[in-house]
Amino acid sequence: MKAIGYIQSLPITEERALFDFETAAPSPGPRDLLVRVKAVSVNPVDTKVRMRRAGTDAAPVILGWDAAGVVEAVGTEVTLFKVGDDVFYAGDLNRPGTNAELHLVDERIVGHKPASLSFAEAAALPLTSLTAWEGLFDRLQVPMSGGEGSSVLIIGAAGGVGSLAVQFARQLTRLTVIGTASRAESRAWVETLGAHAVIDHSRPLSAELDSAGLGLVDYTYTLTNTDTHWAEIVKGAKPQGRIAIIDDPASLDALPLKGKSLSLHWELMFTRSLFQTPDMIRQHEILDEVARLVDAGTVRTTLGANLGTITAANLRRAHAQLESGRSIGKIVLEGWD
């Protein structure tokens, strides 16, 4: 099968940072699906792993943690899917990634693809949907269909996770949804997703909240540059508020949280698959619910750019665009040459 991988951690401008190669097709384990990959999308985790993990000549590292495709074969214990099903999912950090024509994934972290979306549109959703959903409803414990009179601040709302978090918070709760964006085009994107208000994260957040008449917030979901915003996040939080984080600050001082009795929550979408938690199947359930919401017109895909077929050259372009920090929505590749 065709695949895209690398051996050394190199700047994305280097041709060998990601290259095309051929490798043997894998065989499914008991609970695995063998998926023929039709489309993939790129996430910050792809660029981070590329610079942290090395491969070998015999086994290049295959990245990719978002895919949409068709089930080609199933393991002996699979009960949730059958051959021919259209699926979408975010994969597992412990296994080879989705940048390959055929890919193995545990059925418990796979959803049925939204029928109303193309493979490219669906591939934009899994990892960010799961991260947004788990952050809001599992970590922050935002009340589903509730929260009237309370507010949530989503920092980095124009990115992949933010684009889904804004939609989930607006459509599935009664919270006042506040997103942050610093450019006109990203601000417009967040507004179209349903945010009640958009503030500028290039300015002090607490002052932005005050000037917009929004006051202190009950929930904060910080998706990027948490260390830069940390003092302002604490300042802008309501006493006994809740803060969830997904990025990787170099360090984080928790002591300022004490005065307001603020709680801190980490969200890593891969935790359930990494540790094979008893509730691992919850990700299958979330993705199926996201598909239902999409097909009902409640939530829309966050595809921002389709860079063409799944090749090393196009994937290097996708990584470069993501590393620039200026992408809006998700970057997708579709089909094989």
Side-chain angles (χ1 to χ4, degrees), residues 58-335:
V61 177
I62 302 174
L63 300 173
W65 287 281
D66 258 333
V70 180
V71 177
E72 183 131 320
V74 299
T76 56
E77 297 177 14
V78 167
T79 61
L80 302 172
F81 300 90
K82 64 183 184 304
V83 172
D85 282 350
D86 292 346
V87 295
F88 73 145
Y89 58 92
D92 181 339
L93 275 177
N94 286 326
R95 307 183 75 171
T98 59
N99 295 332
E101 285 186 293
L102 294 166
H103 183 251
L104 291 180
V105 62
D106 190 299
E107 66 168 345
R108 290 169 290 180
I109 58 173
V110 178
H112 294 88
K113 182 184 78 68
S116 59
L117 297 186
S118 67
F119 286 106
E121 291 168 330
L125 290 171
L127 188 148
T128 49
S129 291
L130 289 165
T131 303
W133 190 287
E134 290 180 353
L136 289 172
F137 301 117
D138 293 357
R139 313 303 171 219
L140 289 173
Q141 296 183 358
V142 166
M144 188 81 72
S145 302
E148 190 169 2
S150 298
S151 58
V152 59
L153 173 65
I154 299 167
I155 299 172
V161 175
S163 295
L164 269 303
V166 168
Q167 292 187 76
F168 292 157
R170 179 60 190 266
Q171 299 295 333
L172 305 179
T173 80
R174 297 179 182 173
L175 295 170
T176 296
V177 182
I178 308 161
T180 79
S182 60
R183 293 177 291 136
E185 58 268 38
S186 54
R187 183 186 189 94
W189 171 263
V190 176
E191 288 172 345
T192 65
L193 295 173
H196 292 97
V198 184
I199 63 174
D200 187 347
H201 53 232
S202 69
R203 300 173 181 173
L205 294 173
S206 61
E208 283 284 286
L209 289 168
D210 283 343
S211 64
L214 296 166
L216 302 180
V217 296
D218 301 85
Y219 305 97
T220 302
Y221 198 3
T222 172
L223 311 175
T224 185
N225 295 316
T226 296
D227 41 5
T228 301
H229 299 302
W230 187 238
E232 286 295 310
I233 289 170
V234 174
K235 190 175 179 180
K238 189 176 291 186
Q240 302 183 84
R242 302 171 75 89
I243 301 167
I245 302 173
I246 70 166
D247 62 334
D248 302 295
S251 63
L252 202 66
D253 182 5
L255 287 177
L257 304 179
K258 183 176 181 179
K260 289 184 176 179
S261 295
L262 301 174
S263 59
L264 177 62
H265 308 266
W266 289 99
E267 161 57 17
L268 178 64
M269 187 281 306
F270 295 110
T271 295
R272 282 171 160 137
S273 56
L274 276 171
F275 295 96
Q276 299 280 298
T277 61
D279 67 346
M280 184 170 157
I281 199 170
R282 181 65 185 136
Q283 293 199 332
H284 160 70
E285 296 166 350
I286 292 169
L287 287 173
D288 270 7
E289 177 61 12
V290 170
R292 187 192 69 78
L293 292 168
V294 169
D295 287 338
T298 304
V299 171
R300 64 183 176 90
T301 182
T302 53
L303 190 158
N306 187 329
L307 297 190
T309 54
I310 308 169
T311 65
N314 285 340
L315 198 57
R316 288 195 300 271
R317 289 172 56 216
H319 278 231
Q321 191 169 322
L322 198 62
E323 288 175 352
S324 75
R326 297 179 68 83
S327 60
I328 297 174
K330 292 296 295 292
I331 303 167
V332 171
L333 290 83
E334 178 181 22

Side-chain angles (χ1 to χ4, degrees), residues 34-52:
L34 179 65
V35 177
R36 183 163 293 279
V37 174
K38 299 292 187 180
V40 299
S41 69
V42 180
N43 295 282
V45 63
D46 298 63
T47 65
K48 292 173 184 177
V49 171
R50 197 188 83 244
M51 299 309 293
R52 294 175 183 170

